[in-house]
Amino acid sequence: MNLTNLARLRDEDLAGQASTAPARALMESIVSEERAPAGRRLRVAPARRTRRALALGGVAVGLGVAVAIGVGLPGGPATRYANAAVSVERATDYFSVTVTDPAADPGRFEEAFRAVGLDVTVKRIPVPPDEVGRLVGPVVPEGFRGPGSIGVQGVEPCAGAFCAKVWLPARYSGRVVFGIGRAAAPGEPYADDVVDPSSAEALDGYRSHGRTVAEVRDELRRRKLKVGYRLWWTLPNGSFFDQRVTADRIEDGWVVEGSRHSSFDTVDLYVVPGPEAGRAPNPMTVYEAEPHWYDQTD
């Protein structure tokens, strides 16, 4: 489920709908994104998606052929830490992260985050080819309560496979989950990540936005691609969210908002519901009904 603009939903809009503790935690997490400084493209960290400090005091430690280096004050978390997989440096209000070996064991990434004082779990997740090595998250399973903001922004130029600024309070003690993108196996679904379908186009040389479902579906069939459907609900306050549905819920004449590969051979169409679709469902119910990469066991 897409949560980019669901972040606009204020407490008063969903207070009566968030009937479970996880849903309330999700709402707190979503609202926290709005406190981030302007101009940063953040990825929302809802509840149930998203480990400990190792101070090396400037000592280089040999780990097989890899070398881990941490710098910090004795007795406290390091301000920066690097091993063969990743380097992490703690600044005043964010962490600089450079991924050097996206194929490394997730434990090497966790080691670096823990060294700078974060309780982080890292999962390798299937992504499109151009997103291999990208850091996905942060996700806070129990809900982010601040102060501050959370999110990640890619940085260019980059000396490694992927570079980013990660916004998390420097002394944040809650549990956090990150994903490291790996190449998906043939036909394996990509890990669902936040996307703005108004700017998402899956087909080279073809714009799906504004076309009817029937038109875009014919183009997908011509390219021998499978099709999936997501209803793209817009709420009165301007926020939006998506809902995965079966083909029988979709009318040929409805308009496509955008398209995105959900696997190597399948494209999801984000479809604006027509009047026949009825009222928008509860976004929290939709969110909780879908599987999420951060809940899955490796």
Side-chain angles (χ1 to χ4, degrees):
M1 173 184 177
N2 184 297
L3 290 168
T4 304
N5 269 11
L6 187 54
R8 295 183 191 170
L9 294 170
R10 302 289 190 189
D11 298 83
E12 59 267 24
D13 296 316
L14 288 181
Q17 300 178 34
S19 58
T20 65
R24 287 192 295 272
L26 169 62
M27 190 63 251
E28 293 166 353
S29 174
I30 292 170
V31 172
S32 73
E33 185 198 14
E34 299 181 283
R35 305 189 186 102
R40 296 173 180 172
R41 185 179 179 183
L42 301 183
R43 297 183 181 273
V44 179
R48 285 205 278 161
R49 32 183 263 198
T50 266
R51 270 166 187 245
R52 200 114 328 215
L54 171 65
L56 297 181
V59 178
V61 180
L63 297 175
V65 297
V67 175
I69 301 175
V71 178
L73 297 175
T79 56
R80 61 181 181 272
Y81 187 91
N83 58 29
V86 64
S87 63
V88 182
E89 182 170 356
R90 176 162 51 88
T92 303
D93 62 348
Y94 65 89
F95 294 83
S96 292
V97 179
T98 300
V99 176
T100 49
D101 182 8
D105 185 279
R108 304 309 307 278
F109 295 95
E110 294 174 0
E111 168 190 294
F113 281 110
R114 290 169 179 172
V116 297
L118 295 174
D119 179 15
V120 168
T121 295
V122 175
K123 297 176 178 285
R124 298 188 68 223
I125 60 175
V127 296
D130 61 348
E131 296 184 11
V132 171
R134 182 169 64 85
L135 193 69
V136 178
V139 171
V140 181
E142 286 75 32
F144 179 77
R145 293 171 175 80
S149 60
I150 58 175
V152 62
Q153 178 187 35
V155 174
E156 294 289 349
C158 177
F162 178 76
C163 301
K165 287 185 176 180
V166 176
W167 279 271
L168 270 171
R171 303 294 181 182
Y172 187 71
S173 59
R175 186 168 66 91
V176 178
V177 180
F178 280 104
I180 294 289
R182 64 164 175 81
E188 182 182 18
Y190 300 142
D192 193 20
D193 190 21
V194 174
V195 61
D196 181 354
S198 63
S199 60
E201 292 291 350
L203 305 179
D204 291 339
Y206 183 87
R207 182 173 171 80
S208 64
H209 176 80
R211 298 179 185 268
T212 66
V213 169
E215 288 178 294
V216 181
R217 187 175 56 230
D218 287 346
E219 179 65 18
L220 291 174
R221 288 173 175 168
R222 188 182 72 80
R223 300 188 185 210
K224 296 181 171 55
L225 292 170
K226 301 173 185 176
V227 60
Y229 298 98
R230 291 178 177 267
L231 288 176
W232 187 245
W233 297 101
T234 301
L235 301 182
N237 65 355
S239 60
F240 51 77
F241 67 98
D242 64 274
Q243 177 190 18
R244 183 176 294 280
V245 296
T246 53
D248 61 310
R249 293 280 307 276
I250 301 294
E251 298 290 338
D252 287 352
W254 291 355
V255 176
V256 174
E257 178 69 16
S259 59
R260 189 185 71 150
H261 274 280
S262 58
S263 71
F264 178 77
D265 61 353
T266 303
V267 169
D268 280 354
L269 301 184
Y270 292 79
V271 180
V272 179
E276 306 91 333
R279 296 182 58 184
N282 182 328
M284 293 297 119
T285 301
V286 173
Y287 167 76
E288 292 181 339
E290 293 197 4
H292 305 287
W293 63 262
Y294 38 85
D295 287 330
Q296 298 171 1
T297 57
D298 297 328

